[in-house]
Amino acid sequence: MTAVSSASDSASRSPESAPPAADAPGSAGAPPAQALTAAEIVARAAAQESAGAAPPVVIERLRWADPWRWLALGLRDARAAPGTAAFYGTCFWLMALVLGWVFRTRPEYTMSMASGCLLVGPFLAMGLYDTSRRREAGLPPSLGESLTCWDSHMGSMGMLVLVLVVLELLWGRASLVVFAVFFNTGMPSTTGVLEAVFNPSNWSFVAVYAAVGGVFAALVFSTSVVSIPMILDRDTDALTAGITSIRVVLDNTLVMLQWGALLTVIVAASLWFWGIGLLVAGPVLGHASWHAYRASVRPVAPAAVDG
């Protein structure tokens, strides 16, 4: 009976009177856990994000002779893939024919069309960038691959297109305003434009027109000189690519000015004789632009292309 009553007494005890549970192993004397502060949470999230972030972009220092080396490498790539070079050279030549037709029929829109060519040209040259990239990786050139190399970069390319389209529209509007200010009797004909440009009495119009065009040309060039090949190579976002392109121009201003001048002179010389020179100059400059990117931005790893 004594044993039975003792068991019943133990079972009837209230929970409050039960002895305290033993501490978990290793918890004796440990202070109670404290919640993380907001700063600590942000710091941990940033650390986790940076662990998988893209490596930083390193801008290389360029030498004065580099643009000529890029042209030589571009000529080598064009000779190594003559079929691809002929296709894209024909596309550039057709653009020149359209530009000439606009100049003869609606000269006031010549600057707008020229800026449009500056917009379309680099994107058309993306296929040439891909060809140089494949050769760099030891893969055979492929026209089919070059035509579809942009399909996996639609988001970044679309955003960059939007930025350049805005610049192109502003450039075109500014050129029309300059014409309207200096020719208040109406837009001149093709002959009138030529007379205005080569007439010493219109030096103020030529100066303003050149200044406005130069500003917008510099913006377009600075934003796109390495941004498009960088998107193709690293699949980066448009903002990073555009900022990197501007950084390259700012860090290597004299060399990039020389490169821009070479591009302008070669394209202008190619426009003679109905733009036939673009059949060769267009592909060479496209391939050379890839090598300009390669020299300006340090690669994070050897180039690899799915093939």
Side-chain angles (χ1 to χ4, degrees), residues 5-305:
S5 62
S6 299
S8 62
D9 291 342
S10 299
S12 63
R13 290 176 183 172
S14 62
E16 289 80 359
S17 61
D23 293 337
S27 63
Q34 297 180 354
L36 293 175
T37 64
E40 291 172 336
I41 294 175
V42 172
R44 289 191 178 186
Q48 293 175 356
E49 182 179 356
S50 62
V57 177
V58 179
I59 306 300
E60 299 283 10
R61 299 299 301 178
L62 300 176
R63 297 173 297 178
W64 184 252
D66 282 342
W68 300 97
R69 181 174 61 86
W70 303 336
L71 289 174
L73 293 174
L75 179 60
R76 183 199 63 182
D77 287 350
R79 295 176 62 183
T84 302
F87 172 80
Y88 286 102
T90 301
C91 293
F92 289 124
W93 179 47
L94 293 176
M95 288 172 55
L97 293 179
V98 173
L99 181 61
W101 176 80
V102 171
F103 180 74
R104 290 190 303 272
T105 57
R106 299 297 298 272
E108 68 273 16
Y109 293 105
T110 301
M111 183 60 73
S112 299
M113 181 57 64
S115 61
C117 292
L118 290 176
L119 172 65
V120 175
F123 290 95
L124 187 62
M126 194 171 185
L128 297 169
Y129 305 155
D130 182 74
T131 300
S132 293
R133 179 170 172 254
R134 291 178 66 86
R135 293 195 67 251
E136 187 179 280
L139 298 174
S142 171
L143 177 60
E145 292 289 340
S146 70
L147 291 173
T148 59
C149 64
W150 48 266
D151 58 356
S152 60
H153 313 284
M154 286 293 292
S156 299
M157 292 296 293
M159 183 59 66
L160 190 59
V161 166
L162 179 61
V163 172
L164 294 179
V165 163
V166 171
L167 289 176
E168 187 269 337
L169 292 176
L170 291 175
W171 188 352
R173 178 59 60 182
S175 65
L176 290 178
V177 169
V178 173
F179 268 99
V181 169
F182 285 90
F183 298 93
N184 51 15
T185 58
M187 294 298 177
S189 62
T190 302
T191 304
V193 172
L194 294 176
E195 291 178 353
V197 170
F198 293 103
N199 189 344
S201 63
N202 290 333
W203 65 268
S204 57
F205 160 74
V206 175
V208 173
Y209 194 74
V212 171
V215 169
F216 282 98
L219 288 174
V220 172
F221 175 76
S222 300
T223 306
S224 61
V225 63
V226 302
S227 57
I228 300 175
M230 183 175 178
I231 290 175
L232 175 66
D233 183 43
R234 299 194 180 194
D235 195 25
T236 187
D237 60 277
L239 180 61
T240 301
I243 292 176
T244 300
S245 186
I246 295 173
R247 285 178 56 197
V248 168
V249 174
L250 293 178
D251 291 353
N252 301 278
T253 304
L254 293 179
V255 176
M256 297 312 293
L257 280 176
Q258 182 193 181
W259 178 233
L262 280 175
L263 293 175
T264 302
V265 170
I266 293 174
V267 170
S270 302
L271 291 177
W272 291 99
F273 302 106
W274 300 94
I276 199 71
L278 289 176
L279 289 172
V280 176
V284 170
L285 293 179
H287 290 303
S289 297
W290 168 262
H291 294 288
Y293 156 71
R294 268 289 184 240
S296 302
V297 181
R298 182 179 301 173
V300 295
V305 182

